């Protein structure tokens, strides 16, 4: 996927050009956005695809209240291929698909999909090889959110380092937008080996090209609650 290795750095350079750009960045030349999604968790994601990329390759750039937070690249099966996290400067790249790559086709056809693959994560000079294993199981139910029908999926996964130590685990409910072959986060619980927490990243609003707000990078939902939780306690 040479096109991915080429366009991801170009996209990151565009985001780094300045704070104004970070609020109105468009896809690189040869690419076009096809969907904007706001979530309950004070985030907004923009999705685009590029002419010269392998069919079905999708870019997702997410913003929170402070600006860009992450950029992901997925292949047609929604296997994670490349990622960059703005807050930490961490990159995560697919090292090898492994014995059981993610397959959204298998999930849609059979109702379940297991996966087992390896990524390389780098933050500064620190490099880690991580193995992720998990299973997605369709519930057989759908939910309609902002006029879009989504399939609901129960998910569970574990990520471990080369010593077998648990680095990250997740379980809960996600959504599949079948028409666009996209996974979207929902209500999940997480564990980083030390702490457990829950998040609700359920989609709230879907905006398509030509609709008002399609190019908006500012989250619309859940931000007041988030800001309130970050305020220092009132002195008595």
């Amino acid at each position: 996927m040479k096109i991915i290795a080429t366009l991801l750095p170009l996209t990151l350079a565009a985001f780094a050009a300045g704070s104004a750009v970070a609020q109105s960045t468009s896809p690189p030349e040869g690419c076009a956005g096809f969907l904007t999604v706001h979530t309950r968790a004070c985030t907004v994601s923009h999705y685009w695809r590029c002419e010269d990329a392998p069919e079905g390759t999708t870019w997702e750039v997410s913003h929170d209240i402070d600006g860009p937070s992450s950029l992901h690249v997925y292949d047609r099966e929604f296997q994670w291929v490349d990622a960059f996290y703005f807050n930490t400067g961490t990159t995560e790249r697919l090292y090898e698909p492994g014995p059981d790559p993610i397959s959204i086709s298998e999930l849609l056809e059979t109702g379940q999909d297991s996966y087992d693959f390896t990524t390389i994560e780098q933050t500064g000079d620190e490099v880690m090889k991580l193995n992720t294993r998990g299973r997605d199981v369709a519930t057989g139910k759908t939910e309609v959110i902002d006029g879009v029908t989504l399939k609901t999926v129960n998910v569970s996964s574990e990520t471990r380092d080369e010593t077998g130590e648990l680095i990250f685990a997740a379980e809960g409910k996600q959504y599949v937008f079948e028409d666009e072959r996209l996974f979207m986060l929902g209500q999940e619980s997480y564990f980083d080996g030390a702490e457990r927490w829950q998040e609700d990243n359920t989609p709230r609003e879907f905006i398509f090209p030509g609709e008002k707000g399609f190019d908006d990078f500012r989250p619309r939902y859940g931000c007041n609650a988030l800001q309130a939780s970050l305020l220092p306690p009132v002195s008595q």
Side-chain angles (χ1 to χ4, degrees):
M1 289 192 175
K2 184 177 180 180
I3 187 70
I4 294 175
T6 300
L7 286 180
L8 183 54
L10 289 178
T11 307
L12 297 178
F15 276 112
S19 59
V21 174
Q23 295 302 324
S24 60
T25 301
S26 298
E29 184 177 354
C31 305
F34 64 91
L35 179 64
T36 296
V37 179
H38 288 267
T39 78
R40 292 180 180 176
C42 192
T43 61
V44 55
S45 289
H46 292 250
Y47 298 85
W48 68 69
R49 296 190 174 116
C50 304
E51 296 175 358
D52 294 333
E55 182 182 359
T57 303
T58 299
W59 280 254
E60 177 189 4
V61 59
S62 297
H63 279 235
D64 58 25
I65 197 170
D66 296 317
S69 56
S70 64
L71 176 63
H72 287 79
V73 185
Y74 312 99
D75 68 12
R76 176 174 170 77
E77 294 299 332
F78 216 78
Q79 173 69 61
W80 311 337
V81 176
D82 215 335
F84 179 80
Y85 300 92
F86 290 86
N87 292 338
T88 61
T90 299
T91 61
E92 187 175 3
R93 294 184 171 88
L94 183 66
Y95 177 73
E96 57 183 9
D100 191 6
I102 288 175
S103 175
I104 196 172
S105 294
E106 184 172 343
L107 175 65
L108 293 173
E109 291 169 6
T110 69
Q112 59 181 326
D113 176 48
S114 62
Y115 47 87
D116 181 348
F117 61 92
T118 302
T119 57
I120 296 292
E121 180 182 282
Q122 182 170 356
T123 305
D125 294 330
E126 183 180 357
V127 179
M128 300 177 64
K129 184 183 290 185
L130 302 175
N131 176 254
T132 298
R133 298 182 181 183
R135 178 177 297 274
D136 302 329
V137 180
T139 67
K141 300 177 182 179
T142 61
E143 293 183 21
V144 178
I145 300 176
D146 194 29
V148 174
T149 299
L150 305 171
K151 295 180 180 294
T152 57
V153 180
N154 291 328
V155 301
S156 61
S157 67
E158 290 187 349
T159 298
R160 298 180 180 272
D161 64 15
E162 292 183 270
T163 70
E165 182 178 354
L166 180 66
I167 301 299
F168 187 77
E171 63 178 358
K173 179 175 73 174
Q174 292 187 1
Y175 298 90
V176 171
F177 186 180
E178 184 174 5
D179 290 350
E180 295 291 353
R181 299 178 65 86
L182 299 176
F183 268 94
M184 295 178 179
L185 300 178
Q187 296 176 326
E188 297 176 81
S189 60
Y190 303 104
F191 179 58
D192 64 2
E195 297 183 359
R196 299 182 185 275
W197 71 97
Q198 295 182 331
E199 293 182 9
D200 186 352
N201 292 281
T202 302
R204 278 288 304 271
E205 185 176 5
F206 290 80
I207 308 174
F208 297 91
E211 296 181 346
K212 183 178 179 181
F214 178 73
D215 294 323
D216 188 3
F217 278 77
R218 189 173 299 279
R220 298 181 178 180
Y221 303 97
C223 298
N224 291 338
L226 176 62
Q227 288 175 313
S229 69
L230 296 176
L231 292 175
V234 177
S235 300
Q236 299 294 328

